[in-house]
Structure formats: C-alpha cells, structure tokens
Amino acid sequence: MKAVAIQTFGSPEGLAVIDLPAPIPAGGQVLIDTEAIGVGGVDAVIRRDGALAAAYGFKEGHVLGSEVAGTVAAVGDGVDTSWIGRRVWAFTGLGGGYAEQAIAPLEELLPLPANLSPADAVTLGSSGVVAHFGLSHGRFAPGESVLVRGAAGSIGIMAVQLAARGGAGAVAVTTSSAERGDRLRELGATHVLDRSGEGGEDAPAGYDVIIDIVAGADLPSFFDRLNPNGRMVAVGIVAGRPPTDFGMSMIAAFRKSLSFATFSADTVSEPDRRAVRTEQFTAASRGGGLRTVVHEVLPLEHAAPAHRKMDAGEVFGRIVLTP
C-alpha cells in the first residue's frame, strides 16, 4: 500500500511516498480502508522537530497522521465482525494515518452519521474534542470573555463556535487577515484582533479565558491580556515552544492571580471523549449545527504541499488527504 513517511525531519521536503506491506489488525484492532485523512498541527510539529519526535520514539520512516475516516476492511481477534463494511472515524494515535489503509484500536472507533462526510469527520473528530475540553479545562462559564489565539485552524474554529454556543460574553480571535476575520465572525467571533492581539473595535480590555493554539515566542505577552483570575490554556504549539522563562510574566502580574495550563485530550477518559465526539458528529450532520471547514482536499501523494501550506499559514480550517 502507499503511505507517506518522514524521510528527514525538518521541512516538508522530507516527506516521501513509500510502499509498505498492508497492515494486519491485532487483537482489539480494526483495519480501515481510508477515504479521508486529517492533516493536523501535531503532524507538522512532529515533522519539524526531530528532537521532540525522538522523545516520543519516532524515527525516520515514521508515517504521520492521527485520524482517518473510511470503511472497516478487517478486524482482529475479539472484535465483532459486524464492524466490517461500516463507515467509521478513527484515531490512530500519533502516526499511521497517512496511508491507504490504517490500523486503529476498537475503543477509538466511532460510526459516522449518514449525513457526515469522511472529510468533515476528520476535520471535526479531534479538533472538536480538544476545543470542548480545552474550554472546560479553562473553567469557562457563560458570560465570560474568551480569546482564541490562532483561530483559523480547525481547533480554533471549533473553539470559537463552542464558546459562542456556550454563552460567552465576547469571543475574540487573533488571525492574520480581515478576510479570515470575516469568516470567523460568521462562526461566532465578536471581535477580530491581529496576531499580536491588537486592534478590534470595542474589543475587551482583558479576557477571562485564553485558548492558545499557537504558543511560540509571543505566548508570554498574552498574559497581559488576562483579567484578574484569568486562565490561559495552551492546547497546541504550532509556532513552537514558548521561551523557557515564559512564566516570569505571570510572576510579574502576581496580584492578578493568573493561571496557566496545558491541555491534551490524552488526559480525558475514552468514554468522555466518545460522548462528546458523538454529540458533535450528530450536531455537524444536521443543518444549523456545528460547522466544519475543509480548506482543501488533496491526494495522499500531495502531503508535502499540504504541509507547505500549513507552514506558510495559508490554511483556514483543515486540509484533508485522500488515497
């Protein structure tokens, strides 16, 4: 089968199409003929940072991709054969998804509603859960003001919608252009700021919750934008790691009682993830529910161009690969 692997860590040019034997599901696993493969920010982080990849045990030859949608082709021991032929979304872990066939554990499998396309499923499947529990991790409550930093990606788009649906008093976003700002307003944003957090007519002076997907060198400056008792939750590091002394900005504002946390969906129980994902899939499959934004659908062999678009900041929503 065809797959896309990291031949050299760093730039997208290190990605290559390779041939691999068809995988065989072990006990408790299923084999999926992929129809849609989500290209996520975590894929780019792993590809760029060889040291980080090594810390997780990834080496050259690692096949990227954490979520796929398609049809179950085979099952391992202990898995009900009635799964074969069913349309599903699946989380494959931190790799294995950029391929014509992918393995996933049964507990990370979810049937697709009839009206939800595979492309929409991989746009929502992980990002919606991260956005939901990221807001919960930040103890977001109705009436509070929320800032989503880096709102143009799939996690940010879901965070904007969920904050608005949850009764936020204001939903501000940072983004790179007025055009993107207009699109985010259609999804529930009330104020549009530039990447540094400036601008936005009548934007709040401070925020109760900041959902940060970006991190990077500028993360510390956003502590200044938190209200007293404000909470910042980092759910991604698409711009790289923050400075090692980033916490000094919080210490300098000691009397504001600020909080900072990281959040990974790995810390949420599988039943809780499943319940939220099921609800979100249902909402997205109905008119007037959650809106998924697919930036572009590309063939699997165009994984490198897809990553170049991500690195250049050209993507609004999610790129989806198809075998």
Side-chain angles (χ1 to χ4, degrees), residues 22-257:
I24 299 173
Q29 295 180 334
V30 303
L31 175 67
I32 299 166
D33 288 333
T34 59
E35 298 172 30
I37 302 157
V39 179
V42 67
D43 301 338
V45 171
I46 291 170
R47 186 212 79 226
R48 291 184 199 123
D49 193 335
L52 178 66
Y56 282 92
F58 302 142
K59 300 177 181 178
E60 286 82 4
H62 176 68
V63 175
L64 289 169
S66 63
E67 61 182 313
V68 302
T71 302
V72 176
V75 299
D77 291 342
V79 179
D80 192 328
T81 56
S82 67
W83 279 103
I84 296 175
R86 297 182 70 180
R87 298 171 65 251
V88 298
W89 171 93
F91 180 70
T92 61
L94 290 177
Y98 286 18
E100 293 176 322
Q101 292 184 304
I103 295 286
L106 180 62
E107 62 270 18
E108 297 290 359
L109 209 64
L110 198 66
L112 291 187
N115 294 330
L116 190 68
S117 73
D120 286 334
V122 298
T123 300
L124 173 61
S126 291
S127 60
V129 164
V130 171
H132 173 92
F133 287 106
L135 285 164
S136 176
H137 204 60
R139 305 189 309 281
F140 164 66
E144 290 190 316
S145 56
V146 177
L147 170 62
V148 181
R149 182 176 176 232
S154 56
I155 294 175
I157 285 169
M158 288 303 153
V160 167
Q161 293 184 75
L162 293 175
R165 288 160 61 102
V171 182
V173 296
T174 69
T175 190
S176 60
S177 71
E179 185 271 335
R180 289 186 171 201
D182 290 341
R183 296 182 70 180
L184 288 163
R185 286 184 187 276
E186 294 175 0
L187 295 166
T190 57
H191 300 86
V192 177
L193 315 178
D194 64 21
R195 283 179 169 174
S196 68
E198 299 292 343
E201 185 177 354
D202 301 323
Y207 301 90
D208 300 304
V209 178
I210 295 177
I211 300 297
D212 191 337
I213 302 131
V214 181
D218 293 333
L219 181 148
S221 67
F222 282 83
F223 288 125
D224 295 339
R225 305 179 192 285
L226 285 171
N227 289 331
N229 298 307
R231 293 87 66 192
M232 182 189 295
V233 181
V235 300
I237 54 170
V238 296
R241 306 179 196 189
T244 56
D245 62 349
F246 75 91
M248 295 306 297
S249 297
M250 293 180 65
I251 296 299
F254 194 92
R255 296 177 65 190
K256 291 177 68 176
S257 300

